[in-house]
Amino acid sequence: MNELLDLTSPLLVEAFTLWGSPTTWLEVVAFVLSIWMVGCNMRVNPLGWPLAIVSSLLYALLFAQSKLFGEASLQLFFVAVSGWGWWQWLRGRGDDGAELKVHRLSLPQRARAALLTLAAWPLLGLLLGRLTTSDVPFFDALPTVASVTGQVLLGRKLIENWPVWLAVNVVSIGLFAYKMLWLTVILYAIFAVLSVAGWRAWARLEGHVDARH
């Protein structure tokens, strides 16, 4: 990761100061791509997945620089899962063998997803605390494991991805404020609003064939 930070050093140049903290060009570009990505997700546009790959790589570098190693590792996971999600949206099939559509989890499936996420949280927190220099291992771990859940649900066009992202975004606002990544705080506040909008948009799409763009 240090080698990557060295290679991308031009992007780490300060673009401007926001509330007393420097904001790099890396954070600015990642911000713009991320907003574009969520807009595509809301419209069930597959373009969101390649945008997710690029923005995730940029945020991996940003978070590594800020010693948020759980979040940095999560972004690399997002790169891999985004390839899977892209394929799912273009070629995926539902349980009935038909084209994958926007749909919901059953109540037992929701409970299972919640329990797995909550169980993974302290385990990742302990791992980050032991193996990294993170000063907020458990705070970092919570949105990390919940984001894994949200990304898998998004890839399968499950409506529940949106309330999961809403929770992730609210927690992340506090985490990034602690790290004084103010542009990213603004981004996640926007994400929180867009999560509600996406939740409502997908609820209307449920059971209908998704528009292809």
Side-chain angles (χ1 to χ4, degrees), residues 148-160:
V148 171
T149 301
Q151 194 76 345
V152 172
L153 296 176
L154 176 63
R156 289 298 294 168
K157 291 188 179 179
L158 286 156
I159 291 176
E160 287 81 4

Side-chain angles (χ1 to χ4, degrees), residues 104-111 160:
R104 295 178 185 270
L105 291 171
S106 66
L107 186 58
Q109 288 172 328
R110 291 178 194 172
E160 287 81 4

Side-chain angles (χ1 to χ4, degrees), residues 15-28:
F16 53 85
T17 299
L18 188 62
W19 295 316
S21 181
T23 299
T24 65
W25 284 110
L26 176 66
E27 192 173 359
V28 172

Side-chain angles (χ1 to χ4, degrees), residues 111-122 141-142 144-150 164:
R112 193 179 308 121
L115 288 174
L116 287 173
T117 302
L118 291 174
W121 172 24
L142 179 56
T144 299
V145 297
S147 293
V148 171
T149 301
V164 170

Side-chain angles (χ1 to χ4, degrees), residues 11-193:
L11 281 174
L12 297 175
V13 173
E14 180 180 338
F16 53 85
T17 299
L18 188 62
W19 295 316
S21 181
T23 299
T24 65
W25 284 110
L26 176 66
E27 192 173 359
V28 172
V29 174
F31 176 95
V32 173
L33 292 179
S34 296
I35 292 293
W36 188 6
M37 173 198 70
V38 175
C40 289
N41 290 344
M42 289 174 63
R43 293 183 288 113
V44 200
N45 186 334
L47 177 61
W49 292 107
L51 290 172
I53 291 172
V54 177
S55 61
S56 293
L57 287 171
L58 295 178
Y59 270 115
L61 295 173
L62 179 67
F63 294 149
Q65 185 190 35
S66 299
K67 295 187 176 182
L68 290 172
F69 299 110
E71 290 289 334
S73 300
L74 174 66
Q75 301 306 312
L76 298 179
F77 169 83
F78 279 173
V79 171
V81 171
S82 292
W84 168 80
W86 196 359
W87 182 87
Q88 288 289 321
W89 279 30
L90 293 176
R91 297 287 185 268
R93 298 289 171 179
D95 294 336
D96 59 358
E99 180 183 3
L100 187 63
K101 300 177 182 178
V102 171
H103 61 298
R104 295 178 185 270
L105 291 171
S106 66
L107 186 58
Q109 288 172 328
R110 291 178 194 172
R112 193 179 308 121
L115 288 174
L116 287 173
T117 302
L118 291 174
W121 172 24
L123 294 177
L124 180 59
L126 288 170
L127 188 66
L128 291 174
R130 289 178 179 273
L131 300 181
T132 75
T133 57
S134 174
D135 55 347
V136 285
F138 289 94
F139 199 1
D140 190 4
L142 179 56
T144 299
V145 297
S147 293
V148 171
T149 301
Q151 194 76 345
V152 172
L153 296 176
L154 176 63
R156 289 298 294 168
K157 291 188 179 179
L158 286 156
I159 291 176
E160 287 81 4
N161 87 88
W162 293 108
V164 170
W165 286 124
L166 177 59
V168 167
N169 295 331
V170 170
V171 174
S172 296
I173 288 170
L175 176 63
F176 298 137
Y178 178 78
K179 288 293 183 176
M180 294 189 294
L181 296 171
W182 298 119
L183 187 60
T184 304
V185 169
I186 294 171
L187 174 66
Y188 276 75
I190 294 171
F191 277 175
V193 174

